[in-house]
Amino acid sequence: MAGQGQRLTVVPTVTVMGMIKARLAAATRGHALLKKKSDALTVQFRAILKRIVAAKEAMGDAMRSASLSLAEALYVAGGPLRHVVQQSVAGPARLRVRAHHDNIAGVRLPRFEHFLVDDGARAPLLAGLAGGGQQVSASRAAHVRAVELLVELASLQTSFLTLDEAIKTTNRRVNALEHVVKPQLENTVAYIRGELDEQEREEFFRLKKIQAVKQRELERQVEAAKLYAVEKVVGEVALKRGVSLGAAASMLDNGGGERDDDIIF
């Protein structure tokens, strides 16, 4: 697994672990959303690819029909047709293209569409049946169809390239989150958890040592208090009997001597 053993350089505290967990949760949600986005873009990418294949096949047929219709019109009308057509098309084009944008999972795809502008100012082409008017009209319709397919194909090709770049970028982000960011954060959380457990064990051991020291100190104080009480009694006996402290201690240890009712042991 990529990213194994890698972690962030952080201070192992509970606050930092909470921050890293929040980042890990955000990375997990982001990975899921980017994965869904990649799937949606891939579905749209495949659909556009199928439409491009169909459009290219239709484009080949349309261009072939347009070329044949132009050859028929030139054969029937002859050389003067060129001058008649040139005179009739002087001015702006009637078939125009405008651009729009489609939003697919946050990706703006350019879309071109064609439309006809009927200004009514242009005179129709009057060639007559003898001059090849029918063939010219058929050739014009065939070329209009070819231009329409060409615009559609351009729109699909542009969307195809845009989607391809968007899918590559999204997949790079998904792979970075899955193989670098998330393992790094998970390793950091595991490291902080281990350090906190070690600190907890050290604190427990330290508290036990402190408790043991306090217990020994308490026992020493109790022994000192008992020794002080015995020495006090010995001093009182020595003072009462008029003997030395050693003799008084011997008397207390052996239980000898006369009992003095005024002394309470």
Side-chain angles (χ1 to χ4, degrees), residues 113-252:
E113 63 178 14
H114 54 82
F115 64 98
L116 289 174
V117 177
D118 190 7
D119 51 8
R122 181 175 304 172
L125 180 62
L126 300 176
L129 294 176
Q134 183 176 3
Q135 284 75 14
V136 171
S137 299
S139 178
R140 181 174 59 183
H143 281 82
V144 167
R145 175 58 181 167
V147 172
E148 292 175 353
L149 289 175
L150 185 62
V151 171
E152 181 182 359
L153 184 59
S155 177
L156 293 174
Q157 289 278 21
T158 307
S159 299
F160 180 84
L161 295 177
T162 305
L163 270 181
D164 183 52
E165 188 63 29
I167 289 174
K168 290 180 180 178
T169 303
T170 305
N171 288 337
R172 283 196 296 267
R173 293 176 180 175
V174 170
N175 292 332
L177 286 174
E178 183 176 357
H179 300 292
V180 178
V181 177
K182 288 180 63 179
Q184 194 176 48
L185 295 177
E186 290 171 355
N187 292 335
T188 304
V189 170
Y191 162 74
I192 295 176
R193 186 177 290 113
E195 290 294 322
L196 291 178
D197 292 341
E198 184 67 24
Q199 292 177 6
E200 186 177 356
R201 287 191 293 268
E202 291 178 356
E203 183 69 16
F204 180 73
F205 180 76
R206 187 180 67 84
L207 291 177
K208 286 188 65 177
K209 295 291 290 185
I210 292 175
Q211 187 176 5
V213 170
K214 288 184 177 180
Q215 184 66 26
R216 289 196 298 270
E217 182 67 19
L218 181 60
E219 292 176 355
R220 188 188 65 77
Q221 291 178 1
V222 171
E223 292 294 333
K226 290 181 179 180
L227 181 60
Y228 174 76
V230 171
E231 290 177 353
K232 183 177 180 181
V233 172
V234 169
E236 291 178 354
V237 171
L239 184 62
K240 185 71 175 179
R241 299 293 181 87
V243 296
S244 63
L245 293 176
S250 299
M251 291 172 59
L252 291 175

Side-chain angles (χ1 to χ4, degrees), residues 31-48:
H31 175 265
L33 291 176
L34 286 176
K35 190 66 175 176
K36 292 180 180 178
K37 177 180 178 180
S38 178
D39 295 340
L41 293 179
T42 302
V43 171
Q44 187 68 20
F45 181 81
R46 292 174 180 174
I48 289 179

Side-chain angles (χ1 to χ4, degrees), residues 77-125:
L81 177 63
R82 297 179 184 273
H83 303 288
V84 174
V85 172
Q86 289 177 358
Q87 291 176 1
S88 65
V89 298
R94 295 180 60 245
L95 183 62
R96 300 181 184 180
V97 178
R98 54 190 170 197
H100 297 279
H101 288 88
D102 293 334
N103 194 331
I104 304 297
V107 179
R108 291 171 59 86
L109 298 180
R111 180 171 59 87
F112 307 132
E113 63 178 14
H114 54 82
F115 64 98
L116 289 174
V117 177
D118 190 7
D119 51 8
R122 181 175 304 172
L125 180 62

